[in-house]
PDB file of all heavy atoms in Angstrom:
ATOM      1  N   ARG B 433      -3.700   9.335  19.653  1.00  0.00           N
ATOM      2  CA  ARG B 433      -3.806   8.356  20.631  1.00  0.00           C
ATOM      3  C   ARG B 433      -2.858   7.144  20.386  1.00  0.00           C
ATOM      4  O   ARG B 433      -2.443   6.895  19.244  1.00  0.00           O
ATOM      5  CB  ARG B 433      -5.278   7.842  20.665  1.00  0.00           C
ATOM      6  CG  ARG B 433      -6.265   8.920  21.010  1.00  0.00           C
ATOM      7  CD  ARG B 433      -7.692   8.562  20.599  1.00  0.00           C
ATOM      8  NE  ARG B 433      -8.137   7.397  21.352  1.00  0.00           N
ATOM      9  CZ  ARG B 433      -9.301   6.760  21.158  1.00  0.00           C
ATOM     10  NH1 ARG B 433     -10.147   7.208  20.203  1.00  0.00           N
ATOM     11  NH2 ARG B 433      -9.620   5.698  21.804  1.00  0.00           N
ATOM     12  N   SER B 434      -2.594   6.394  21.471  1.00  0.00           N
ATOM     13  CA  SER B 434      -1.709   5.239  21.336  1.00  0.00           C
ATOM     14  C   SER B 434      -2.338   4.204  20.492  1.00  0.00           C
ATOM     15  O   SER B 434      -3.538   3.953  20.568  1.00  0.00           O
ATOM     16  CB  SER B 434      -1.397   4.712  22.713  1.00  0.00           C
ATOM     17  OG  SER B 434      -0.732   3.442  22.592  1.00  0.00           O
ATOM     18  N   PRO B 435      -1.592   3.592  19.571  1.00  0.00           N
ATOM     19  CA  PRO B 435      -2.161   2.509  18.781  1.00  0.00           C
ATOM     20  C   PRO B 435      -2.620   1.270  19.578  1.00  0.00           C
ATOM     21  O   PRO B 435      -3.481   0.567  19.079  1.00  0.00           O
ATOM     22  CB  PRO B 435      -0.989   2.116  17.785  1.00  0.00           C
ATOM     23  CG  PRO B 435       0.239   2.602  18.497  1.00  0.00           C
ATOM     24  CD  PRO B 435      -0.191   3.804  19.289  1.00  0.00           C
ATOM     25  N   PHE B 436      -2.117   1.103  20.736  1.00  0.00           N
ATOM     26  CA  PHE B 436      -2.463  -0.025  21.524  1.00  0.00           C
ATOM     27  C   PHE B 436      -3.916   0.094  22.061  1.00  0.00           C
ATOM     28  O   PHE B 436      -4.485  -0.901  22.469  1.00  0.00           O
ATOM     29  CB  PHE B 436      -1.541  -0.179  22.717  1.00  0.00           C
ATOM     30  CG  PHE B 436      -0.147  -0.739  22.328  1.00  0.00           C
ATOM     31  CD1 PHE B 436       0.950   0.156  22.201  1.00  0.00           C
ATOM     32  CD2 PHE B 436      -0.004  -2.037  22.067  1.00  0.00           C
ATOM     33  CE1 PHE B 436       2.170  -0.356  21.792  1.00  0.00           C
ATOM     34  CE2 PHE B 436       1.242  -2.576  21.648  1.00  0.00           C
ATOM     35  CZ  PHE B 436       2.286  -1.694  21.529  1.00  0.00           C
ATOM     36  N   GLU B 437      -4.489   1.297  22.002  1.00  0.00           N
ATOM     37  CA  GLU B 437      -5.899   1.455  22.330  1.00  0.00           C
ATOM     38  C   GLU B 437      -6.826   0.750  21.293  1.00  0.00           C
ATOM     39  O   GLU B 437      -7.987   0.497  21.586  1.00  0.00           O
ATOM     40  CB  GLU B 437      -6.271   2.907  22.452  1.00  0.00           C
ATOM     41  CG  GLU B 437      -5.509   3.648  23.551  1.00  0.00           C
ATOM     42  CD  GLU B 437      -6.011   5.059  23.672  1.00  0.00           C
ATOM     43  OE1 GLU B 437      -7.203   5.334  23.398  1.00  0.00           O
ATOM     44  OE2 GLU B 437      -5.156   5.955  24.091  1.00  0.00           O
ATOM     45  N   PHE B 438      -6.225   0.461  20.074  1.00  0.00           N
ATOM     46  CA  PHE B 438      -7.038  -0.012  19.028  1.00  0.00           C
ATOM     47  C   PHE B 438      -6.785  -1.511  18.717  1.00  0.00           C
ATOM     48  O   PHE B 438      -7.491  -2.118  17.819  1.00  0.00           O
ATOM     49  CB  PHE B 438      -6.836   0.814  17.777  1.00  0.00           C
ATOM     50  CG  PHE B 438      -7.267   2.310  17.902  1.00  0.00           C
ATOM     51  CD1 PHE B 438      -6.277   3.169  18.331  1.00  0.00           C
ATOM     52  CD2 PHE B 438      -8.528   2.706  17.734  1.00  0.00           C
ATOM     53  CE1 PHE B 438      -6.642   4.492  18.487  1.00  0.00           C
ATOM     54  CE2 PHE B 438      -8.871   4.003  17.861  1.00  0.00           C
ATOM     55  CZ  PHE B 438      -7.913   4.871  18.243  1.00  0.00           C
ATOM     56  N   ILE B 439      -5.778  -2.051  19.360  1.00  0.00           N
ATOM     57  CA  ILE B 439      -5.409  -3.458  19.065  1.00  0.00           C
ATOM     58  C   ILE B 439      -5.309  -4.363  20.295  1.00  0.00           C
ATOM     59  O   ILE B 439      -4.465  -5.239  20.325  1.00  0.00           O
ATOM     60  CB  ILE B 439      -4.008  -3.488  18.322  1.00  0.00           C
ATOM     61  CG1 ILE B 439      -2.956  -2.849  19.158  1.00  0.00           C
ATOM     62  CG2 ILE B 439      -4.137  -2.684  16.957  1.00  0.00           C
ATOM     63  CD1 ILE B 439      -1.538  -3.177  18.594  1.00  0.00           C
ATOM     64  N   ILE B 440      -6.145  -4.074  21.248  1.00  0.00           N
ATOM     65  CA  ILE B 440      -6.127  -4.896  22.490  1.00  0.00           C
ATOM     66  C   ILE B 440      -6.429  -6.418  22.080  1.00  0.00           C
ATOM     67  O   ILE B 440      -5.691  -7.270  22.644  1.00  0.00           O
ATOM     68  CB  ILE B 440      -7.157  -4.375  23.489  1.00  0.00           C
ATOM     69  CG1 ILE B 440      -6.796  -3.009  23.965  1.00  0.00           C
ATOM     70  CG2 ILE B 440      -7.319  -5.354  24.607  1.00  0.00           C
ATOM     71  CD1 ILE B 440      -7.771  -2.306  24.887  1.00  0.00           C
ATOM     72  N   PRO B 441      -7.351  -6.735  21.282  1.00  0.00           N
ATOM     73  CA  PRO B 441      -7.485  -8.130  20.976  1.00  0.00           C
ATOM     74  C   PRO B 441      -6.274  -8.774  20.320  1.00  0.00           C
ATOM     75  O   PRO B 441      -5.957  -9.902  20.641  1.00  0.00           O
ATOM     76  CB  PRO B 441      -8.721  -8.174  19.936  1.00  0.00           C
ATOM     77  CG  PRO B 441      -9.486  -6.900  20.260  1.00  0.00           C
ATOM     78  CD  PRO B 441      -8.413  -5.890  20.655  1.00  0.00           C
ATOM     79  N   GLN B 442      -5.650  -7.990  19.434  1.00  0.00           N
ATOM     80  CA  GLN B 442      -4.425  -8.608  18.781  1.00  0.00           C
ATOM     81  C   GLN B 442      -3.335  -8.802  19.780  1.00  0.00           C
ATOM     82  O   GLN B 442      -2.599  -9.837  19.692  1.00  0.00           O
ATOM     83  CB  GLN B 442      -3.912  -7.614  17.666  1.00  0.00           C
ATOM     84  CG  GLN B 442      -4.826  -7.590  16.460  1.00  0.00           C
ATOM     85  CD  GLN B 442      -5.857  -6.483  16.501  1.00  0.00           C
ATOM     86  OE1 GLN B 442      -6.334  -6.099  17.591  1.00  0.00           O
ATOM     87  NE2 GLN B 442      -6.223  -5.871  15.338  1.00  0.00           N
ATOM     88  N   VAL B 443      -3.203  -7.854  20.722  1.00  0.00           N
ATOM     89  CA  VAL B 443      -2.104  -8.094  21.780  1.00  0.00           C
ATOM     90  C   VAL B 443      -2.386  -9.278  22.651  1.00  0.00           C
ATOM     91  O   VAL B 443      -1.550 -10.071  22.945  1.00  0.00           O
ATOM     92  CB  VAL B 443      -2.046  -6.788  22.657  1.00  0.00           C
ATOM     93  CG1 VAL B 443      -1.061  -7.010  23.772  1.00  0.00           C
ATOM     94  CG2 VAL B 443      -1.534  -5.577  21.824  1.00  0.00           C
ATOM     95  N   LEU B 444      -3.671  -9.437  23.022  1.00  0.00           N
ATOM     96  CA  LEU B 444      -4.045 -10.624  23.840  1.00  0.00           C
ATOM     97  C   LEU B 444      -3.865 -11.867  23.057  1.00  0.00           C
ATOM     98  O   LEU B 444      -3.362 -12.920  23.673  1.00  0.00           O
ATOM     99  CB  LEU B 444      -5.497 -10.435  24.285  1.00  0.00           C
ATOM    100  CG  LEU B 444      -5.846  -9.331  25.210  1.00  0.00           C
ATOM    101  CD1 LEU B 444      -7.325  -9.281  25.513  1.00  0.00           C
ATOM    102  CD2 LEU B 444      -5.050  -9.499  26.495  1.00  0.00           C
ATOM    103  N   PHE B 445      -4.147 -11.911  21.762  1.00  0.00           N
ATOM    104  CA  PHE B 445      -3.932 -13.117  20.977  1.00  0.00           C
ATOM    105  C   PHE B 445      -2.409 -13.349  20.847  1.00  0.00           C
ATOM    106  O   PHE B 445      -2.013 -14.587  20.836  1.00  0.00           O
ATOM    107  CB  PHE B 445      -4.561 -12.950  19.602  1.00  0.00           C
ATOM    108  CG  PHE B 445      -5.843 -13.630  19.422  1.00  0.00           C
ATOM    109  CD1 PHE B 445      -7.010 -12.977  19.672  1.00  0.00           C
ATOM    110  CD2 PHE B 445      -5.914 -14.968  18.990  1.00  0.00           C
ATOM    111  CE1 PHE B 445      -8.257 -13.633  19.570  1.00  0.00           C
ATOM    112  CE2 PHE B 445      -7.119 -15.643  18.811  1.00  0.00           C
ATOM    113  CZ  PHE B 445      -8.291 -14.978  19.098  1.00  0.00           C
ATOM    114  N   PHE B 446      -1.620 -12.383  20.667  1.00  0.00           N
ATOM    115  CA  PHE B 446      -0.206 -12.530  20.601  1.00  0.00           C
ATOM    116  C   PHE B 446       0.328 -13.207  21.854  1.00  0.00           C
ATOM    117  O   PHE B 446       1.121 -14.174  21.753  1.00  0.00           O
ATOM    118  CB  PHE B 446       0.510 -11.209  20.295  1.00  0.00           C
ATOM    119  CG  PHE B 446       2.041 -11.309  20.543  1.00  0.00           C
ATOM    120  CD1 PHE B 446       2.794 -12.045  19.632  1.00  0.00           C
ATOM    121  CD2 PHE B 446       2.629 -10.691  21.633  1.00  0.00           C
ATOM    122  CE1 PHE B 446       4.215 -12.094  19.770  1.00  0.00           C
ATOM    123  CE2 PHE B 446       4.014 -10.720  21.762  1.00  0.00           C
ATOM    124  CZ  PHE B 446       4.747 -11.451  20.862  1.00  0.00           C
ATOM    125  N   VAL B 447      -0.052 -12.710  23.014  1.00  0.00           N
ATOM    126  CA  VAL B 447       0.406 -13.304  24.310  1.00  0.00           C
ATOM    127  C   VAL B 447      -0.035 -14.785  24.361  1.00  0.00           C
ATOM    128  O   VAL B 447       0.737 -15.647  24.738  1.00  0.00           O
ATOM    129  CB  VAL B 447      -0.058 -12.497  25.463  1.00  0.00           C
ATOM    130  CG1 VAL B 447       0.228 -13.165  26.812  1.00  0.00           C
ATOM    131  CG2 VAL B 447       0.514 -11.050  25.476  1.00  0.00           C
ATOM    132  N   PHE B 448      -1.338 -14.989  24.060  1.00  0.00           N
ATOM    133  CA  PHE B 448      -1.820 -16.341  24.101  1.00  0.00           C
ATOM    134  C   PHE B 448      -1.001 -17.320  23.182  1.00  0.00           C
ATOM    135  O   PHE B 448      -0.646 -18.428  23.518  1.00  0.00           O
ATOM    136  CB  PHE B 448      -3.352 -16.381  23.772  1.00  0.00           C
ATOM    137  CG  PHE B 448      -3.920 -17.712  23.582  1.00  0.00           C
ATOM    138  CD1 PHE B 448      -4.078 -18.634  24.602  1.00  0.00           C
ATOM    139  CD2 PHE B 448      -4.300 -18.090  22.282  1.00  0.00           C
ATOM    140  CE1 PHE B 448      -4.563 -19.869  24.431  1.00  0.00           C
ATOM    141  CE2 PHE B 448      -4.816 -19.392  22.105  1.00  0.00           C
ATOM    142  CZ  PHE B 448      -5.000 -20.245  23.168  1.00  0.00           C
ATOM    143  N   LEU B 449      -0.885 -16.843  21.940  1.00  0.00           N
ATOM    144  CA  LEU B 449      -0.141 -17.695  20.945  1.00  0.00           C
ATOM    145  C   LEU B 449       1.311 -17.926  21.299  1.00  0.00           C
ATOM    146  O   LEU B 449       1.871 -19.029  21.080  1.00  0.00           O
ATOM    147  CB  LEU B 449      -0.293 -17.086  19.587  1.00  0.00           C
ATOM    148  CG  LEU B 449      -1.692 -17.101  18.979  1.00  0.00           C
ATOM    149  CD1 LEU B 449      -1.663 -16.545  17.579  1.00  0.00           C
ATOM    150  CD2 LEU B 449      -2.304 -18.546  18.935  1.00  0.00           C
ATOM    151  N   ALA B 450       1.897 -16.902  21.825  1.00  0.00           N
ATOM    152  CA  ALA B 450       3.369 -17.066  22.257  1.00  0.00           C
ATOM    153  C   ALA B 450       3.489 -18.116  23.378  1.00  0.00           C
ATOM    154  O   ALA B 450       4.360 -18.940  23.326  1.00  0.00           O
ATOM    155  CB  ALA B 450       3.900 -15.695  22.734  1.00  0.00           C
ATOM    156  N   LEU B 451       2.625 -18.009  24.357  1.00  0.00           N
ATOM    157  CA  LEU B 451       2.599 -19.103  25.434  1.00  0.00           C
ATOM    158  C   LEU B 451       2.264 -20.412  24.909  1.00  0.00           C
ATOM    159  O   LEU B 451       2.938 -21.489  25.252  1.00  0.00           O
ATOM    160  CB  LEU B 451       1.615 -18.664  26.496  1.00  0.00           C
ATOM    161  CG  LEU B 451       1.949 -17.417  27.322  1.00  0.00           C
ATOM    162  CD1 LEU B 451       0.808 -17.028  28.243  1.00  0.00           C
ATOM    163  CD2 LEU B 451       3.260 -17.573  28.059  1.00  0.00           C
ATOM    164  N   THR B 452       1.308 -20.478  23.922  1.00  0.00           N
ATOM    165  CA  THR B 452       0.939 -21.774  23.322  1.00  0.00           C
ATOM    166  C   THR B 452       2.159 -22.366  22.554  1.00  0.00           C
ATOM    167  O   THR B 452       2.359 -23.553  22.531  1.00  0.00           O
ATOM    168  CB  THR B 452      -0.230 -21.592  22.422  1.00  0.00           C
ATOM    169  OG1 THR B 452      -1.344 -21.031  23.170  1.00  0.00           O
ATOM    170  CG2 THR B 452      -0.716 -22.878  21.769  1.00  0.00           C
ATOM    171  N   THR B 453       2.892 -21.551  21.843  1.00  0.00           N
ATOM    172  CA  THR B 453       4.079 -21.985  21.088  1.00  0.00           C
ATOM    173  C   THR B 453       5.093 -22.591  22.081  1.00  0.00           C
ATOM    174  O   THR B 453       5.679 -23.639  21.746  1.00  0.00           O
ATOM    175  CB  THR B 453       4.678 -20.825  20.311  1.00  0.00           C
ATOM    176  OG1 THR B 453       3.749 -20.291  19.327  1.00  0.00           O
ATOM    177  CG2 THR B 453       5.910 -21.298  19.547  1.00  0.00           C
ATOM    178  N   ALA B 454       5.316 -21.919  23.241  1.00  0.00           N
ATOM    179  CA  ALA B 454       6.244 -22.463  24.175  1.00  0.00           C
ATOM    180  C   ALA B 454       5.769 -23.859  24.665  1.00  0.00           C
ATOM    181  O   ALA B 454       6.517 -24.782  24.816  1.00  0.00           O
ATOM    182  CB  ALA B 454       6.430 -21.493  25.347  1.00  0.00           C
ATOM    183  N   VAL B 455       4.516 -23.958  24.926  1.00  0.00           N
ATOM    184  CA  VAL B 455       3.934 -25.287  25.406  1.00  0.00           C
ATOM    185  C   VAL B 455       4.108 -26.317  24.293  1.00  0.00           C
ATOM    186  O   VAL B 455       4.482 -27.451  24.539  1.00  0.00           O
ATOM    187  CB  VAL B 455       2.475 -25.097  25.731  1.00  0.00           C
ATOM    188  CG1 VAL B 455       1.819 -26.440  26.055  1.00  0.00           C
ATOM    189  CG2 VAL B 455       2.282 -24.168  26.971  1.00  0.00           C
ATOM    190  N   ALA B 456       3.862 -25.881  23.030  1.00  0.00           N
ATOM    191  CA  ALA B 456       4.004 -26.816  21.961  1.00  0.00           C
ATOM    192  C   ALA B 456       5.338 -27.351  21.750  1.00  0.00           C
ATOM    193  O   ALA B 456       5.651 -28.577  21.507  1.00  0.00           O
ATOM    194  CB  ALA B 456       3.411 -26.154  20.643  1.00  0.00           C
ATOM    195  N   VAL B 457       6.358 -26.472  21.866  1.00  0.00           N
ATOM    196  CA  VAL B 457       7.748 -26.827  21.713  1.00  0.00           C
ATOM    197  C   VAL B 457       8.163 -27.825  22.802  1.00  0.00           C
ATOM    198  O   VAL B 457       8.817 -28.808  22.614  1.00  0.00           O
ATOM    199  CB  VAL B 457       8.681 -25.609  21.742  1.00  0.00           C
ATOM    200  CG1 VAL B 457      10.155 -26.008  21.803  1.00  0.00           C
ATOM    201  CG2 VAL B 457       8.413 -24.766  20.468  1.00  0.00           C
ATOM    202  N   TRP B 458       7.757 -27.487  24.061  1.00  0.00           N
ATOM    203  CA  TRP B 458       7.985 -28.431  25.162  1.00  0.00           C
ATOM    204  C   TRP B 458       7.410 -29.757  24.965  1.00  0.00           C
ATOM    205  O   TRP B 458       8.027 -30.833  25.297  1.00  0.00           O
ATOM    206  CB  TRP B 458       7.387 -27.781  26.481  1.00  0.00           C
ATOM    207  CG  TRP B 458       7.558 -28.721  27.673  1.00  0.00           C
ATOM    208  CD1 TRP B 458       8.669 -28.932  28.412  1.00  0.00           C
ATOM    209  CD2 TRP B 458       6.499 -29.467  28.241  1.00  0.00           C
ATOM    210  NE1 TRP B 458       8.362 -29.796  29.430  1.00  0.00           N
ATOM    211  CE2 TRP B 458       7.024 -30.151  29.370  1.00  0.00           C
ATOM    212  CE3 TRP B 458       5.166 -29.557  28.017  1.00  0.00           C
ATOM    213  CZ2 TRP B 458       6.318 -30.979  30.188  1.00  0.00           C
ATOM    214  CZ3 TRP B 458       4.438 -30.429  28.752  1.00  0.00           C
ATOM    215  CH2 TRP B 458       4.984 -31.079  29.890  1.00  0.00           C
ATOM    216  N   ARG B 459       6.145 -29.833  24.375  1.00  0.00           N
ATOM    217  CA  ARG B 459       5.461 -31.068  24.119  1.00  0.00           C
ATOM    218  C   ARG B 459       6.196 -31.853  23.050  1.00  0.00           C
ATOM    219  O   ARG B 459       6.375 -33.082  23.084  1.00  0.00           O
ATOM    220  CB  ARG B 459       4.011 -30.812  23.636  1.00  0.00           C
ATOM    221  CG  ARG B 459       3.208 -32.044  23.445  1.00  0.00           C
ATOM    222  CD  ARG B 459       1.970 -31.736  22.643  1.00  0.00           C
ATOM    223  NE  ARG B 459       2.253 -31.316  21.302  1.00  0.00           N
ATOM    224  CZ  ARG B 459       1.378 -31.298  20.257  1.00  0.00           C
ATOM    225  NH1 ARG B 459       0.084 -31.641  20.560  1.00  0.00           N
ATOM    226  NH2 ARG B 459       1.660 -30.858  19.116  1.00  0.00           N
TER     227      ARG B 459
END
Side-chain angles (χ1 to χ4, degrees):
R433 297 164 61 185
S434 169
F436 287 101
E437 296 183 32
F438 300 91
I439 61 167
I440 294 176
Q442 289 94 327
V443 172
L444 294 177
F445 259 91
F446 168 69
V447 173
F448 169 69
L449 293 181
L451 294 175
T452 302
T453 299
V455 172
V457 171
W458 175 77
R459 185 197 65 165

